Amino acid sequence: MSENEKLLEVKNLRTSFFTHVGEVKAVRDVSFHLDKGEILGIVGESGSGKSVTCMSVMRLLQDPGRIIGGEILYEGEDLVKKSEKEMRRIRGEKISMVFQDPMTAMNPVFTVGNQMIEVIRQHRNVNKKEAHDIAVKMLGLVGIPSPEERMKNYPHEFSGGMRQRAMIAMALSCGPDLLIADEPTTALDVTIQAQVLDLMKDLQQKTGTAIILITHDLGVIAETCRRVLVMYGGMLLESGTVEEIFHHPGNPYTLGLLRSVPNPEKSRDRLEPIPGSPPDLIRPPEGCPFCYRCKYAMNKCVKEIPPLFDLSETHQSRCWLLHPDAPATDAFEKEGK
Amino acid sequence: MLKYCVKRALSMLLTLFLIATATFFLMRAIPGGPFTRERTLPPEVEKVLMEKYNLDAPLMVQYKDYIVDLFHGDLGPSFQKVGVRVNDMISAGFPISAKVGGIASLMIILVGIPLGILAALRKNTLPDYVVSILATVGITVPSFVIGAFIMYVFGELLGWIPAGGLDNWKGYIGPVLAIGGFSLAFVIRLMRSSMLEVTGQDYIRTARANGLPGYKIVFKHAMKNALIPVVTYIGPMVASILTGSFVVEKIFAIPGMGKYFVESITNRDYTVIMGTTLFFAALYVVMVFLVDIAYALIDPRIKLND
């Protein structure tokens, strides 16, 4: 596998929900790419558009959600133009997904084995026995003890962590090239969180499956990912490698996120929350989505959406402070108050 | 499983015993009696009748005698129909009511569930509106209106169905629709809302994310979960439909057992009141038991041994 081959390239994606009260512009002009075998993190608050972006990639948006523009190139083919039938062959086989709440993500009235075998047989031309063996192997691979017996269990007979492992096993059972994990550890307690993350990292190395990890937990990102996207108000505000984002953030919003995470070395300092709440996506601000909560906001920020400025080859940020004509600022000095 | 069934059987018997007791004393609390007429009988005649049917004994003795007979499977003689035993009335009337009711129940299940699913899957489109309007009509229009309407339009005006009786298959159309109309509409609405709730669940999203085809998602993953509330309703519904309906049997001239439920009370025909009530109650508790078994078969989280 060559290093920088693009597996997925999202270009100018726009997704909206056409509700009674108006068009909710959940994803506004988001572009990013994912290399083969890479782990990409997407971070943002609730309602920042990170989940909707991924549901758009899977083409799993429920009414009244619709992709209204842009391209989603998967191995060069535009998923936006695929028929539902073609998408069905991609889902589960090429791209699969793990969701937030493992307690409700499995059907309670069928055994874990039944559900896994069903997915395997849907995509692979194998008989029941072979599918069963693949499922047992996958459950073993994700660290479920005595997988043969566990196949006969119903989801409620699994603990939360085990269910999430089983979900991962199911998602990987057809050997997808891309796994989208939408807050896979949010519903789990901390020790189990670490185990599941380790498992995902481990499987990624073994199978070479690329992973998009959606989370609002910066700690999870730092531990697992190579590159990070920071989303806010349906837009991409910053993207870069983990080192760039954590050590040289180029956006006041990213800085705000970093400052609102507790740091054990400076436990006496108060945490600094970001004041205010995310913008209304029915009538998003004309300018930068973060402008009304940003303490560095200028007149221009309110009027015009900033473009993505290149900070390095891998590091982009959407902020007017980065414009050559912008006034000098201490905004990006991480320790500065 | 066997232990559970034995336990349930005992509790069902206890339930029936309590119903028998309550019905017995409540019915005796109603003023009047089986031989109360507008023209009073001569006292001697009434005395002989009371003696014949053991009605002159103290109430507790009558109760004890009735329960003893009941345990022998004897529901006693009718007070109104001389020489006819309640057992015979039920065994003559029930098969007829049950045939109409059975067909109605099958129709409700085979038509109601698919239509409910259709309405849910085509939510807010023409099929949904049509089904929902029909279902609302079915719920709001009482059975005697449906019955009379069918009889007038299809019997009288068009002559497609006979005016009454069950002589050929056409005779069943009217009574089946009249007796099953409400429940059919109810099942459609129940299935629709249950299906809509289930299709919003996370596991349906998982199934879609795994690339399963639509028919598998609907008929395997969604339907099994959505059936639970419908099964709850269908169990007791079958018990009440199988035992017939006074109104429907009157309209379509069906010699079923539905009429006894009403007539026995106006006549104070004590043994028939007891017989029909207990028969219905027995059928009802059996259906509830079957519903519980069905739950356990549908949903593995429900355990019977508890």
Side-chain angles (χ1 to χ4, degrees), chain A residues 242-279:
Chain A
V242 167
E243 293 77 42
E244 284 164 339
I245 298 286
F246 280 77
H247 298 300
H248 313 286
N251 195 295
Y253 176 63
T254 314
L255 256 153
L257 281 184
L258 290 168
R259 286 201 186 124
S260 55
V261 174
N263 180 347
E265 282 159 29
K266 298 193 294 174
S267 57
R268 278 159 180 265
D269 288 4
R270 275 182 167 272
L271 281 180
E272 219 182 290
I274 305 175
S277 54

Side-chain angles (χ1 to χ4, degrees), chain A residues 149-166:
Chain A
E149 282 88 79
R150 284 303 195 165
M151 288 280 285
K152 294 179 208 112
N153 282 159
Y154 287 93
H156 71 276
E157 292 164 314
F158 275 37
S159 69
M162 275 169 69
R163 268 192 242 185
Q164 198 58 299
R165 283 165 190 269

